[in-house]
Amino acid sequence: MAILSGIKNTVLLWVLLVAACGNQPKKPEIEIAGKEPEMQQHANKPIVVAANRTDQYIPLLNGKKIGVVANQTTVVFKSGDSYTHLVDSLLSLQMDVKKVFAPEHGFRGQADAGEKVTDGTDPKTGLPLISLYGKNRKPSAEQLADIDVVLFDIQDVGVRFYTYIATLQLVMEACAAHGVPIIVLDRPNPNAHYVDGPTMEIEHSGFLGMTPIPLVYGMTIGEYAQMINGEGWLRSETKADLTVIPLENWTHESEYHLPIRPSPNLPNDTAIYLYPSLGLFEGTNINAGRGTEFQFQRYGAPFLDATQYNFTYTPQPNFGAKNPKQKGELCYGKDLSQIPRMTEVSLMWLIDAYQNADDKKKVFNTSGFTRHAGTEKLQQLIEAGKTEAEIKATWADDLNRFKTIRQKYLRY
C-alpha cells in the first residue's frame, strides 16, 4: 500500500510514493485518551514521515539558503523498501542547500559511538560537511552566516542519553541566538509508547542529558523540540523560531520498524527496544553486545560468576565497535535476543550482573554510569541491595510531574 504526495514546483512535478513495507502501525485495542475521533482512524493507514510531506515544507524553503542537519536516516521514502536521501531530493527540486551539519556517527553513520567526527566534503554532492560532534557541538555564528533556514531531520529512538536530542537542543540554541528559523521534520519514536526511568538531575547535565527529563520520555523529536522551546530550556535569551512538520497516521501506540539503523550499534527492533535498559551498561565495565552482531541484545563480562550463566560470547572489533569492552575475552552473561517489545525500563539485568560479579568493585565506572543514569542515586540503590520495585518507587513522583508537562506538547 502506498500514499501519494507531491508538489508542483515552477519547473517540475515531484510525485513520491511512501513505503509501507514494515511500517504499519499497530491498531490500538482501546481508544487513545485525549485524541479526536479522526485520530483513532489512523491505525489502518501507512505511516507518513514528515520528510515525505513535501507540500508542507518545500514552500518554506523556496528561495532560501538552507543548512540541513542530517545523517543516514534522513531519507524520503519511495516505493517498496527504497528511499532517497533528503539532501539529494532537495537538490533535485533545485533547493539551495548550502551545507550539511553532521551529528554523532557522522553524515553517513559510519563512526563509532564517541568517535570524533571531522569536517569535510560530501563526495556525492560536493556539499560542505560541518561536524557537530568534533571541535564544536553546535553551529557557530560564522557557519550560520550564509544560512536563511535550518532543516533538522534525524531519526531518534527516545532515550535521553541518545545524543541526537542534545544535538537538536544545541542547534535550536544556535538558531535562536543568530535569528535563523529552524524546521524539524518529525519521525516516529519506536519507544514513544511509555515514559520511565530516572529523571536527570541538573547537576549531572551534559551531552548525555541536557534537560531534566526521564530516561525514556515518550515523545517524537518534533514534540520534544516544542517542549524545549516551550519550557525555556534554551540558553539563548529568545526562543527558537520553530516549525515542526508533523507525521501522518501515527500514534504513540503505533509500532514502527526502522528501515535504516539509526546508529551502528542499533541494528534491529530488539536492540532499539532494549536500548533504554541495556544502555545503562555503557556506564559500567560490562559489555552490552558491542563487538558482536547482537549489540544491545546481550550482556556479559569475564568477571561475572561463570556458574550462574550458560551463555558466553567473545567481543571482537567490528562495524561500530573498533575497540569494544572486554575485547577478545570470554564473557559470561545472558542472551536477550528473543525479548519482545519492551513497555518499561528494566533494571533486572543490571541488578543481576552486579549481584553475580566476583568483585563488585569491577562493575561500575562511576562517573560514566552517573552521566548515563542522570543521577548518583541509581548506583547507590543497586549497591545497597534494593529491589527493582523499590528503586522504581523512587522515580514515581518525578515521572508524574514530567507526564503533566509532556501532555502540553503531544501532537499525536
Side-chain angles (χ1 to χ4, degrees):
M1 183 181 298
I3 290 179
L4 290 176
S5 68
I7 63 163
K8 183 173 291 183
N9 195 269
T10 56
V11 294
L12 56 90
L13 175 67
W14 188 28
V15 179
L16 299 170
L17 293 173
V18 179
C21 219
N23 290 338
Q24 297 296 330
K26 178 181 178 182
K27 184 174 182 179
E29 296 176 359
I30 58 174
E31 279 199 343
I32 303 165
K35 303 297 179 185
E36 296 298 325
E38 60 266 28
M39 294 294 288
Q40 315 285 332
Q41 300 171 12
H42 290 169
N44 293 322
K45 299 178 181 178
I47 295 166
V48 183
V49 300
N52 272 82
R53 303 190 67 194
T54 50
D55 59 315
Q56 298 291 308
Y57 64 88
I58 291 297
L60 306 178
L61 302 178
N62 270 318
K64 303 290 179 61
K65 293 173 286 188
I66 306 161
V68 183
V69 185
N71 68 0
Q72 75 284 355
T73 68
T74 308
V75 299
V76 177
F77 294 108
K78 297 170 76 175
S79 60
D81 57 358
S82 65
Y83 49 81
T84 301
H85 199 282
L86 176 65
V87 170
D88 296 329
S89 295
L90 292 173
L91 293 174
S92 75
L93 288 171
Q94 299 183 352
M95 297 293 105
D96 189 10
V97 180
K98 292 295 186 183
K99 62 188 67 172
V100 174
F101 296 96
E104 184 178 9
H105 305 295
F107 180 48
R108 300 296 179 184
Q110 300 293 314
D112 281 5
E115 181 180 347
K116 297 301 181 185
V117 176
T118 59
D119 294 347
T121 301
D122 179 43
K124 182 176 181 180
T125 62
L127 291 172
L129 298 180
I130 309 300
S131 171
L132 298 181
Y133 199 75
K135 61 184 179 181
N136 63 305
R137 294 195 173 178
K138 68 178 177 181
S140 66
E142 181 181 2
Q143 290 163 349
L144 291 176
D146 60 344
I147 297 297
D148 295 322
V149 61
V150 168
L151 190 65
F152 186 104
D153 183 21
I154 295 177
Q155 177 65 58
D156 185 41
V157 298
V159 184
R160 185 185 62 236
F161 49 66
Y162 202 60
T163 61
Y164 297 150
I165 60 168
T167 295
L168 169 68
Q169 185 162 341
L170 292 173
V171 170
M172 288 176 64
E173 281 186 4
C175 288
H178 302 294
V180 178
I182 178 170
I183 301 170
V184 174
L185 302 185
D186 215 355
R187 289 185 180 270
N189 169 6
N191 288 312
H193 52 292
Y194 70 101
V195 175
D196 201 10
T199 294
M200 193 208 72
E201 297 162 351
I202 290 296
E203 59 266 32
H204 300 301
S205 62
F207 204 59
L208 296 183
M210 299 189 70
T211 52
I213 61 173
L215 182 61
V216 179
Y217 46 90
M219 306 175 78
T220 67
I221 202 161
E223 290 174 326
Y224 186 65
Q226 292 178 317
M227 178 182 274
I228 290 171
N229 231 20
E231 295 303 308
W233 287 340
L234 298 178
R235 293 194 181 106
S236 2
E237 294 183 359
T238 59
K239 294 182 179 181
D241 180 354
L242 172 69
T243 300
V244 176
I245 306 300
L247 300 156
E248 283 187 331
N249 309 327
W250 182 85
T251 76
H252 282 260
E253 298 304 315
S254 302
E255 290 191 37
Y256 184 74
H257 310 287
L258 302 189
I260 303 167
R261 63 172 72 190
S263 54
N265 288 287
L266 290 179
N268 55 35
D269 290 346
T270 302
I272 290 167
Y273 296 148
L274 285 168
Y275 182 63
S277 304
L278 296 195
L280 290 169
F281 280 114
E282 296 289 87
T284 73
N285 294 311
I286 295 168
N287 179 282
R290 291 186 188 270
T292 77
E293 296 303 315
F294 294 88
Q295 304 96 324
F296 295 105
Q297 298 160 79
R298 57 180 53 171
Y299 68 91
F303 54 80
L304 298 189
D305 185 352
T307 66
Q308 299 300 310
Y309 302 98
N310 57 15
F311 178 73
T312 62
Y313 65 96
T314 303
Q316 299 289 356
N318 69 354
F319 171 67
K322 295 182 178 68
N323 189 33
K325 278 187 285 191
Q326 317 302 344
K327 179 177 68 174
E329 298 185 67
L330 184 66
C331 292
Y332 302 93
K334 289 189 176 180
D335 173 24
L336 306 177
S337 60
Q338 301 305 311
I339 294 291
R341 186 186 192 212
M342 300 288 290
T343 57
E344 63 178 345
V345 172
S346 176
L347 297 176
M348 70 173 75
W349 301 304
L350 188 57
I351 292 171
D352 168 81
Y354 180 76
Q355 291 178 342
N356 287 297
D358 58 24
D359 180 354
K360 291 178 173 48
K361 293 180 181 179
K362 295 180 180 179
V363 175
F364 289 107
N365 176 351
T366 300
S367 61
F369 187 78
T370 298
R371 286 196 300 271
H372 282 80
T375 174
E376 295 177 349
K377 295 173 186 174
L378 180 54
Q379 178 179 339
Q380 293 167 354
L381 291 169
I382 291 172
E383 291 176 335
K386 299 298 183 181
T387 66
E388 181 176 41
E390 289 171 329
I391 295 172
K392 286 198 164 195
T394 69
W395 302 344
D397 289 344
D398 285 340
L399 291 179
N400 287 334
R401 280 191 289 270
F402 174 77
K403 287 176 182 177
T404 299
I405 298 170
R406 167 182 175 266
Q407 190 63 38
K408 296 187 293 183
Y409 302 101
L410 297 184
R411 301 188 62 163
Y412 309 103

